[in-house]
Amino acid sequence: MFRLQLRPVATLAVCAAVALMGAPAGSAALAAATSVPAPVPAVSDYQLLTSSTTPPTEAACYAIGRRCFTAKAMQNSYNLPPLYALGDEGQGVTIAIIDSFGNPNMASDLANFDTQMSLPHMCGEPGAACGAGIPTFQHVFWNGKTQVKSPPPGSNGTGLQNRDAWVVETALDVEWAHAMAPMANILNVTTNPAETQGVQGFPTMMNAEQFIVDNHQATVITQSFGAVEEGFGSTQSLLNLRHAFISAAADGVTVLASSGDGGSANSPKTPVKNPSPFPFPTVNWPASDPLVTGVGGTYLCTDPTTGLGIDTTDPPVNCQQAANPTAAREVGWIASGGGFSHVFATPAYQDSLPAGSPAIGSMRGVPDVAFQASSRTGPLVYATGGSAGGWFIVGGTSCSSPQFAGLVAIADQIAGHGLGQINPTLYQLASGPNYGTYFYDVTTGNNQADPSIPGYNATTGWDPVTGLGTPNAAALVPALAAG
């Protein structure tokens, strides 16, 4: 699988417990010794393109074998402009974004991103106006302000506390949730996990989410972090972390999570110097939780300048017709986390699938939906809070979850209330006669990121790479709002 070498970042692992219900033989012995693995960001790779305040040109992206998406091109790619034309941009709704450490320059980075992308400025940015009708950005340090530090030169550490990665992660989450729902408020809550892999990271994040739900601070929560199911020492250690999701479902709060960046292969502790994946297909939690909407990833092959049509000429090779005869509007991303849970049984909403879908069986299928995720067809992100700063092209299902969260925020605004669990509605719409109206069905690609671990193919209907497919926002968002 293609990986950038400029600034290596750990692949996301999304955690679900090692419930031995339905787990492959030997998985108990492979469980991590710690009861709760440390969450890591879902950016699989990122590359600094320019240190300028202005974005790189598309030609500069083509020069390194990629296509870079601006906010406008991404909006067009998923058909959001008809919603904006109706005045539906998420106003009055708050999206909560949970990250570790955060980006100390997030407010000023967001201000430059908005200027360059012609997006509305948010109250909370330096010098931005505040008042009625102006969306707000707020950064809350859940358990103490932290400094973002780079590893020392020659560091031999595991990278478990790679704060530079979290800087880019945070910028990606905030900027691209805003790009999809330009008038929604954003609450960025950052936590401060311990320096060693242990029990502090996940419980703190879940406690922060519980507080958000209990105090009605947001109706959408997006999570770009996690760990492999088999990374937990017991089923109960995972189940103990679900309290916020249970409360969210009861309180009309929608929770989304990136499905992971290891394809069907995940390691017990990520990152480590030489990670060794479990020798069987695995999935990640929180995305595997039935109370969460898991968001997988694609290569997006629309025109990166306009977002319109299908560009089968320009880089990357995944989109080029000459190199890939099956090139289409979107191709399942090789690293899109997906497969079948070893913890959670199939929820009732997955009993109904689009015609032609592969059978899910007795265990929860992951993901539910998808959005662009590959750094070969990635969004431009402005971040300056780490050891290097400027415009990055970013990859990972970390791109997918916050952008889909923006769509849910618009649906909340249309409905006039939080929608809570959206999975039953998603599957009901997809299994009906208008599936192709609501979703772009992704039928090519696979997620065998590790040649030693079996992967899955993107197929007609639902599949363990892209779920039900990617959203045609103009149709799907109002349908979600209607329930």
Side-chain angles (χ1 to χ4, degrees):
M1 180 173 63
F2 183 87
R3 281 287 181 267
L4 293 172
Q5 299 302 315
L6 178 64
R7 300 174 62 193
V9 181
T11 304
L12 162 74
V14 185
C15 1
V18 137
L20 299 178
M21 174 179 68
S27 59
L30 289 165
T34 55
S35 61
V36 182
V40 295
V43 280
S44 63
D45 55 65
Y46 55 95
Q47 181 169 353
L48 179 67
L49 297 177
T50 176
S51 58
S52 171
T53 56
T54 57
T57 64
E58 199 61 48
C61 297
Y62 290 162
I64 58 169
R66 299 157 188 273
R67 61 182 70 182
C68 301
F69 281 85
T70 63
K72 180 179 180 180
M74 194 72 78
Q75 292 166 353
N76 285 339
S77 293
Y78 290 105
N79 201 22
L80 281 116
L83 297 173
Y84 302 156
L86 295 173
D88 298 328
E89 300 182 72
Q91 52 267 39
V93 175
T94 299
I95 302 169
I97 296 170
I98 314 300
D99 289 305
S100 286
F101 306 128
N103 174 359
N105 297 345
M106 191 62 254
S108 58
D109 286 351
L110 177 61
N112 185 60
F113 181 82
D114 289 344
T115 295
Q116 301 300 330
M117 296 288 173
S118 300
L119 291 167
H121 286 281
M122 305 185 75
C123 173
E125 296 174 10
C130 297
I134 298 175
T136 62
F137 167 72
Q138 184 179 11
H139 182 188
V140 175
F141 295 92
W142 174 251
N143 55 351
K145 186 172 182 178
T146 65
Q147 291 183 335
V148 177
K149 299 179 180 178
S150 304
S155 170
N156 249 350
T158 64
L160 284 169
Q161 304 298 327
N162 186 341
R163 301 189 182 193
D164 273 8
W166 283 105
V167 166
V168 177
E169 172 68 66
T170 303
L172 167 67
D173 290 346
V174 171
E175 291 169 4
W176 282 90
H178 179 49
M180 295 298 101
M183 297 302 290
N185 304 315
I186 292 179
L187 175 64
N188 184 206
V189 180
T190 58
T191 63
N192 186 18
E195 289 300 314
T196 57
Q197 180 161 301
V199 300
Q200 289 84 359
F202 270 114
T204 301
M205 286 173 154
M206 295 302 105
N207 289 341
E209 293 185 23
Q210 184 72 57
F211 184 88
I212 289 167
V213 174
D214 290 346
N215 290 276
H216 312 292
Q217 294 186 333
T219 55
V220 186
I221 297 175
T222 176
Q223 307 163 110
S224 293
F225 57 81
V228 65
E229 284 186 338
E230 277 71 9
F232 288 82
S234 70
T235 303
Q236 193 59 48
S237 64
L238 175 126
L239 299 179
N240 289 342
L241 295 172
R242 302 184 70 228
H243 54 88
F245 304 158
I246 295 169
S247 297
D251 203 49
V253 177
T254 304
V255 183
L256 304 99
S258 306
S259 69
D261 299 346
S264 61
N266 296 283
S267 301
K269 293 183 180 181
T270 305
V272 292
K273 285 186 178 180
N274 297 297
S276 178
F278 290 103
F280 47 81
T282 52
V283 294
N284 301 287
W285 184 89
S288 67
D289 199 297
L291 297 178
V292 172
T293 300
V295 191
T298 67
Y299 302 94
L300 180 60
C301 299
T302 56
D303 185 304
T305 302
T306 65
L308 304 174
I310 302 174
D311 177 357
T312 58
T313 303
D314 293 311
V317 294
N318 313 78
C319 294
Q320 293 172 336
Q321 204 81 57
N324 180 9
T326 61
R329 174 201 145 81
E330 289 179 85
V331 177
W333 184 42
I334 185 67
S336 178
F340 301 93
S341 176
H342 297 148
V343 177
F344 300 104
T346 306
Y349 56 75
Q350 287 194 318
D351 289 340
S352 298
L353 300 175
S357 302
I360 286 182
S362 63
M363 303 303 287
R364 156 84 159 131
V366 183
D368 298 299
V369 290
F371 216 94
Q372 191 291 130
S374 171
S375 70
R376 295 188 182 189
T377 61
L380 290 169
V381 173
Y382 187 72
T384 66
S387 59
W391 288 94
F392 295 83
I393 185 170
V394 181
T397 52
S398 196
C399 304
S400 312
S401 185
Q403 291 190 83
F404 207 99
L407 273 58
V408 177
I410 298 174
D412 284 359
Q413 173 242 309
I414 295 172
H417 57 81
L419 297 177
Q421 236 196 318
I422 62 171
N423 288 355
T425 302
L426 289 171
Y427 284 87
Q428 179 183 18
L429 293 171
S431 60
N434 298 315
Y435 169 54
T437 300
Y438 301 122
F439 297 92
Y440 299 112
D441 191 9
V442 183
T443 60
T444 62
N446 68 78
N447 68 347
Q448 188 176 10
D450 186 316
S452 68
I453 310 297
Y456 303 94
N457 291 323
T459 66
T460 298
W462 180 90
D463 58 68
V465 183
T466 63
L468 298 170
T470 58
N472 179 348
L476 179 61
V477 169
L480 272 179

